[in-house]
Amino acid sequence: MDLYYGTLYWNTTGASVLRLTQREPASRYDAIVVGGGMSGALTAYTLAEEGLKVAVMDKGAMACGSSLANTGLIQYSNDIMLHQLMQQIGETKAVQFYRMCVKAIDRLEQVARSLHEPTDFIRRASLYFASVDPDVELLQKEFQALHENGFPVDYLTADEVSRRYPFRKPAALLTYGDAELNPFRFVRAILTYLDQKGVHFFEGTEVTSLEDRPDGISVHTPQGIFTAENVIVTTGYSQPPGLEESGVDLNRSYAVATRPLENLEAAWKDRVLIWETRRPYFYLRTTMDGRIVAGGLDEDKPEVPHNKELIARRAEALKQELVSLFPMLDIQIEYAWAAVFGESRDNLPFIGQHPERKRLYYLLGYGGNGTVYSTLGSEIIRDLILGKSDAKAELVKLARPGRTAPDTAASR
């Protein structure tokens, strides 16, 4: 399955070739990570920092899956609002999950600062505006839920929005502690760092089956059989090995990157991340070289369109959304692409042990906060492997209320 199609932007911002050391496979690994994108890189980083012997394998090239199409907005607020999540799983669990996301952004910053290459990680506030008048009540409820539970947030009226920004919206929330990054640079910087630390990488290595052994798992590939005490599957939106049903709905979305813009700072106060209450929602951010990256127009179709004319039409629609917000800017689209993304049916990621196979783990960060989920998931996986009790794991485990446990017969 193709994960994206079109002209991508992020892969123009760094060296085209990622040079990883070619190493002979070890007789055994403490952990093999299946998937060399954002989730896999963060998982390998977290495990390697604990001194574990780690290998990462990908059926394609490292850092060239869905991470290339990631728009790089890092937010603790989720596609489901906090007050809505409270209704779904209870106030205590919902607040705990949101706090986990806040801490994950802090952790993400720590990782970025530990690397030896630039990642364009910058802290930003987020502006979440009401798309239409009836959504004001939603924002008022969300403000109350966030404020009462200690999340830094300001409520802006329509007049306050229009005084700060060149557009008027019925109301908005201004939240703090979010960030932006260049996902391409970030993942490659992690992989380069890990390569220098002795982590083994195997590109073009597809996992065909996972066989349980008394003391570990045999990972079968066309290149041979690898042995590990633990296996962590971090395959993004591709079908994860070992699960027949992953509890996710696949859709497709569109994104654009503009040409560099003059007067961006004057028009866009503090270059906040921007999104809205409408579903599917429009979202946008800026880049280090003065571009706007924007996305939206989600469609309930599980494959990308290999149709340049369709992508061009969607890009024009996204451009018009940008022009409506920033009419003073000379907005010209330079890159446009479509990408597959996945959403879990209860709006939470799937992270943790396979319900029946205790040495097999999954980090599947479905939803709009995939990078945040990847970060918190890497720590949950680490703690589970090291035998540390972690109540957070219960919130995101694979088999949970409202979700059918995966069918595993075919993967035995």
Side-chain angles (χ1 to χ4, degrees):
M1 178 182 72
D2 291 333
L3 297 173
Y4 50 77
Y5 184 78
T7 54
L8 300 171
Y9 165 62
W10 298 117
N11 58 341
T12 70
T13 63
S16 59
V17 178
L18 177 65
R19 302 189 184 281
L20 299 172
T21 305
Q22 301 299 306
R23 294 183 168 93
E24 289 296 318
S27 59
R28 183 180 180 85
Y29 295 96
D30 296 317
I32 288 178
V33 178
V34 182
M38 181 69 74
S39 297
L42 283 164
T43 300
Y45 176 98
T46 303
L47 295 179
E49 291 294 284
E50 293 293 329
L52 274 62
K53 186 171 185 60
V54 178
V56 182
M57 54 183 57
D58 196 294
K59 66 180 180 181
M62 300 288 170
C64 290
S66 55
S67 297
L68 272 181
N70 184 336
T71 48
L73 284 78
I74 311 300
Q75 298 171 299
Y76 73 79
S77 291
N78 285 249
D79 289 354
I80 181 171
M81 293 185 185
L82 176 58
H83 75 272
Q84 295 169 331
L85 189 59
M86 287 176 175
Q87 296 172 358
Q88 179 176 298
I89 63 175
E91 180 174 350
T92 299
K93 291 182 179 179
V95 171
Q96 181 187 20
F97 182 70
Y98 259 59
R99 287 175 178 162
M100 287 163 56
C101 292
V102 170
K103 291 180 179 178
I105 299 176
D106 293 338
R107 169 63 175 168
L108 196 64
E109 182 174 20
Q110 292 174 359
V111 174
R113 299 198 185 288
S114 74
L115 303 174
H116 308 313
E117 298 180 5
T119 63
D120 301 349
F121 182 98
I122 301 174
R123 285 285 188 168
R124 299 287 191 199
S126 287
L127 184 78
Y128 188 31
F129 66 73
S131 306
V132 292
D133 289 337
D135 290 349
V136 171
E137 183 179 356
L138 278 176
L139 286 188
Q140 291 172 338
K141 290 180 180 179
E142 186 67 358
F143 172 76
Q144 182 177 3
L146 291 169
H147 180 69
E148 289 182 351
N149 287 284
F151 297 96
V153 58
D154 291 328
Y155 181 86
L156 305 182
T157 64
D159 287 342
E160 289 171 325
V161 171
S162 62
R163 281 198 294 268
R164 294 181 185 222
Y165 306 100
F167 49 83
R168 185 177 182 87
K169 297 296 176 182
L173 300 183
L174 196 59
T175 56
Y176 303 92
D178 292 334
E180 67 187 31
L181 57 69
N182 180 324
F184 177 70
R185 284 185 168 182
F186 183 73
V187 173
R188 287 167 62 99
I190 293 178
L191 298 179
T192 301
Y193 174 87
L194 293 176
D195 185 53
Q196 296 167 354
K197 295 289 186 180
V199 170
H200 289 197
F201 294 96
F202 302 98
E203 296 183 294
T205 305
E206 182 175 10
V207 174
T208 55
S209 65
L210 300 168
E211 182 182 1
D212 291 320
R213 298 292 187 186
D215 60 345
I217 296 181
S218 293
V219 180
H220 294 253
T221 78
Q223 287 73 29
I225 299 175
F226 298 75
T227 303
E229 185 171 347
N230 305 282
V231 171
I232 306 94
V233 176
T234 63
T235 48
Y237 303 134
S238 297
Q239 176 62 34
L243 293 183
E244 287 296 296
E245 188 275 320
S246 59
V248 65
D249 295 320
L250 292 179
N251 304 290
R252 70 189 187 198
S253 188
Y254 298 87
V256 297
T258 69
R259 294 176 182 171
L261 293 158
E262 297 181 359
N263 302 318
L264 189 57
E265 294 284 354
W268 193 323
K269 180 177 172 58
D270 299 327
R271 291 169 65 161
V272 295
L273 313 180
I274 300 176
W275 59 315
E276 62 171 336
T277 55
R278 176 180 58 180
R279 294 295 186 269
Y281 56 85
F282 175 59
Y283 55 94
L284 56 156
R285 53 159 293 189
T286 60
T287 67
M288 290 285 286
D289 58 348
R291 302 173 190 267
I292 298 174
V293 171
L297 306 178
D298 302 353
E299 296 173 343
D300 187 18
K301 297 180 180 180
E303 67 284 325
V304 294
H306 290 74
N307 185 321
K308 294 181 180 179
E309 290 75 18
L310 174 60
I311 292 175
R313 291 197 298 272
R314 298 294 185 266
E316 179 61 25
L318 290 171
K319 175 184 175 179
Q320 293 309 312
E321 294 272 9
L322 291 172
V323 170
S324 72
L325 295 178
F326 299 99
M328 74 293 295
L329 295 177
D330 180 21
I331 294 173
Q332 301 296 326
I333 303 302
E334 187 167 2
Y335 303 91
W337 64 94
V340 171
F341 74 98
E343 297 179 300
S344 68
R345 292 160 198 161
D346 64 357
N347 299 289
L348 298 175
F350 296 124
I351 303 167
Q353 286 176 313
H354 190 288
E356 300 173 9
R357 307 172 69 180
K358 300 308 179 184
R359 295 182 183 273
L360 180 58
Y361 301 83
Y362 290 84
L363 200 175
L364 305 174
Y366 300 129
N369 282 22
T371 301
V372 173
Y373 296 162
S374 296
T375 308
L376 69 88
S378 68
E379 296 190 303
I380 290 174
I381 298 294
R382 174 201 63 199
D383 291 346
L384 290 172
I385 287 176
L386 296 180
K388 298 179 181 178
S389 177
D390 191 341
K392 299 191 296 293
E394 286 296 307
L395 289 175
V396 294
K397 65 182 181 180
L398 274 68
R400 57 184 187 246
R403 182 191 185 278
T404 304
D407 181 355
T408 62
S411 62
R412 292 284 179 157

